[in-house]
Amino acid sequence: MNTSYLESHPDENGYFGKFGGSFIPPVLEKPFAEITQAYKEIKNSPEFINELKYVRKHYQGRPTPVTFAQNLTKHCGGAKIYLKREDLNHTGAHKLNHCMAEVILAKHLGKKKVIAETGAGQHGVALATAAAYFGLECEIHMGEVDIAKEHPNVVRMKILGAKVVPATHGLKTLKEAVDSAFEAYVKDPDSTIYCIGSVVGPHPFPMMVRDFQSVIGFEAKEQFMEHEGKLPDNVIACVGGGSNAMGIFSAFIDEPSVKLYGVEPLGKGEKLGDHAATLTYGEEGIMHGFNSIMLKDAEGNPAPVHSIGSGIDYPSVGPEHAYLKEIGRSNVALCNDDEAIEAFYTLSQLEGIIPALESAHAVAYAMKLAKTLPADQTILVNLSGRGDKDIDYVIEHYPVPNAKF
Ligand SMILES: *Cc1c(COP(=O)(O)O)cnc(C)c1O
């Protein structure tokens, strides 16, 4: 019959419909062609697959479980809520899934050094971890604002042996970190490889990162079947660049009965600059080397963005999310800062799981949706990471609410 969705998307040139592609300076054309070629070669090589399987099982601690959130389900009074526990992946978030694979690819290409941007510091920590494990140098670019906000992750990166370079221009957050990292990469693309932190950037990164993250979805599908004997009715993930969402969506795109929800950060409200709800309020545009939906300011440049989740405040989004929304396969939902904080505390106090503020957006929407559905319906949430990195920030700005019991 039909080839699977994953095999047929993106096309040869990295397009998902009109989104994606590769808009890069001429000096990067050769290194990117090299990366595309290398990925094509190793993607089906038993050696690569075995090495990846080995590190996932014996180093990362995969498979991560799927947990039935019994108390949260009771609290919401509707559909059953399940959590895919990427908070239990080594380093505390899903990002190590693609970092380990990207560094194996870097090794295969004979690179000496990996370079990347980071928002909340999770990608930086994950890449520094993978680089330490495989013995490569690591340089991480991070906005000065995020450096102050995410201090523990900055310390972790340094302890892991990475060099942390502050991005000091503009809003000094994720977008500026990407600019800064690209600038450094362009100067030395021969011995270095850029390891993008999400399903964004020029082809082949949106495809590669999706493929490496799809382990989340394929594990979860099997594990969910074990719990319920059927597929989930709804799958929910937060969307910054969109890698944890594409990771869990991947296994369900070809299952039309499964509704897919990407949750975007509404931040402080719908005014431009107060949120990072790109798919909801953005328009088509090219930034960071790919065509997608982006938030633009009056001059058409990337707009300032805000979210309490440092890993999801990005003014564009992975091209595949723009495509899935356009063809009607995925739904886009919203969650603001306050709702995320409420979900952060609710999950902590009802389930003993402190979620990352990013993941709390997905939990918040799951709680909202669960209340509208009958008890025989199910929701699978991708809990993309743990909240240890956020506890100091939360406790300072949003003191613990009155105990629930
Ligand atoms: C980085 C990060 C995200 C956002 O990245 P995506 O590419 O949108 O998945 C979400 N959750 C956690 C815990 C993160 O560290």
Side-chain angles (χ1 to χ4, degrees):
M1 262 192 21
N2 314 338
T3 51
S4 77
Y5 169 88
L6 293 182
E7 274 167 52
S8 52
H9 296 79
D11 71 14
E12 260 304 290
N13 300 313
Y15 279 91
F16 304 88
K18 65 182 172 185
F19 302 113
S22 178
F23 301 83
I24 49 179
V27 290
L28 289 185
E29 274 166 22
K30 193 166 147 265
F32 270 73
E34 243 175 60
I35 295 169
T36 307
Q37 187 53 35
Y39 179 60
K40 225 186 242 170
E41 281 165 21
I42 69 169
K43 168 172 136 162
N44 297 313
S45 109
E47 235 170 277
F48 174 71
I49 293 169
N50 286 336
E51 186 167 10
L52 202 50
K53 273 191 181 157
Y54 180 91
V55 295
R56 280 174 176 170
K57 180 171 175 186
H58 299 290
Y59 180 71
Q60 288 177 236
R62 302 201 70 87
T64 58
V66 163
T67 301
F68 174 42
Q70 192 171 1
N71 301 327
L72 186 67
T73 297
K74 211 180 277 172
H75 173 80
C76 295
K80 289 167 97 171
I81 302 173
Y82 285 86
L83 309 169
K84 175 62 173 165
R85 301 289 307 281
E86 290 305 293
D87 58 313
L88 296 177
N89 197 31
H90 181 44
T91 74
H94 67 289
K95 292 202 175 73
L96 193 65
N97 298 334
H98 72 257
C99 286
M100 292 304 275
E102 280 182 338
V103 176
I104 296 175
L105 184 74
K107 238 179 32 172
H108 177 87
L109 283 164
K111 306 288 181 185
K112 304 269 178 297
K113 178 168 155 187
V114 290
I115 189 166
E117 82 293 340
T118 195
Q122 294 296 94
H123 178 54
V125 168
L127 191 61
T129 301
Y133 181 86
F134 289 110
L136 267 70
E137 264 177 76
C138 179
E139 180 179 306
I140 303 295
H141 294 246
M142 188 170 186
E144 258 184 348
V145 168
D146 289 332
I147 288 180
K149 193 169 158 194
E150 306 285 356
H151 183 249
N153 273 344
V154 177
V155 175
R156 274 184 201 110
M157 285 185 271
K158 288 182 180 165
I159 289 174
L160 289 162
K163 183 176 162 201
V164 179
V165 180
T168 55
H169 68 292
L171 283 182
K172 304 174 189 159
T173 63
L174 184 56
K175 184 206 150 278
E176 290 76 23
V178 177
D179 296 339
S180 168
F182 248 101
E183 218 170 275
Y185 174 54
V186 167
K187 286 181 194 143
D188 184 19
D190 288 333
S191 66
T192 306
I193 190 170
Y194 192 108
C195 290
I196 288 174
S198 187
V199 285
V200 298
H203 179 62
F205 283 97
M207 168 183 72
M208 254 175 24
V209 173
R210 173 200 69 189
D211 292 351
F212 296 149
Q213 288 293 347
S214 67
V215 65
I216 300 174
F218 288 105
E219 280 178 10
K221 192 176 190 177
E222 216 179 293
Q223 294 164 319
F224 191 89
M225 287 295 258
E226 242 176 77
H227 281 284
E228 287 281 333
K230 58 174 186 177
L231 291 169
D233 299 300
N234 305 281
V235 171
I236 300 179
C238 67
V239 175
S243 65
N244 87 87
M246 278 320 306
I248 197 156
F249 287 0
S250 287
F252 300 100
I253 297 175
D254 284 328
E255 306 283 1
S257 71
V258 181
K259 292 196 188 76
L260 308 174
Y261 293 90
V263 185
E264 293 197 308
L266 187 56
K268 293 180 286 207
E270 55 187 39
K271 203 169 94 223
L272 192 69
D274 282 352
H275 62 79
T278 308
L279 289 164
T280 306
Y281 297 112
E283 52 190 306
E284 189 176 342
I286 296 170
M287 67 175 267
H288 293 152
F290 64 105
N291 185 43
S292 186
I293 301 293
M294 63 183 267
L295 291 167
K296 297 179 186 175
D297 66 13
E299 280 85 54
N301 296 316
V305 283
H306 161 83
S307 167
I308 198 171
S310 310
I312 46 179
D313 59 354
Y314 184 59
S316 185
V317 66
E320 195 162 12
H321 284 287
Y323 173 67
L324 290 174
K325 183 192 174 204
E326 190 180 67
I327 63 169
R329 181 62 190 94
S330 71
N331 306 286
V332 179
L334 292 169
C335 166
N336 67 30
D337 285 353
D338 292 342
E339 292 167 320
I341 288 291
E342 196 197 319
F344 175 90
Y345 277 119
T346 305
L347 194 71
S348 299
Q349 295 180 6
L350 292 183
E351 298 291 346
I353 299 169
I354 303 176
L357 283 175
E358 294 82 0
S359 324
H361 287 72
V363 175
Y365 186 69
M367 290 167 60
K368 214 185 254 183
L369 184 65
K371 288 173 189 164
T372 71
L373 297 173
D376 65 348
Q377 293 277 301
T378 56
I379 298 174
L380 172 63
V381 182
N382 194 15
L383 198 76
S384 54
R386 67 175 184 228
D388 302 46
K389 68 183 177 56
D390 297 315
I391 55 178
D392 289 336
Y393 177 82
V394 171
I395 211 77
E396 191 184 330
H397 296 88
Y398 302 87
V400 182
N402 289 334
K404 288 200 163 64
F405 308 104

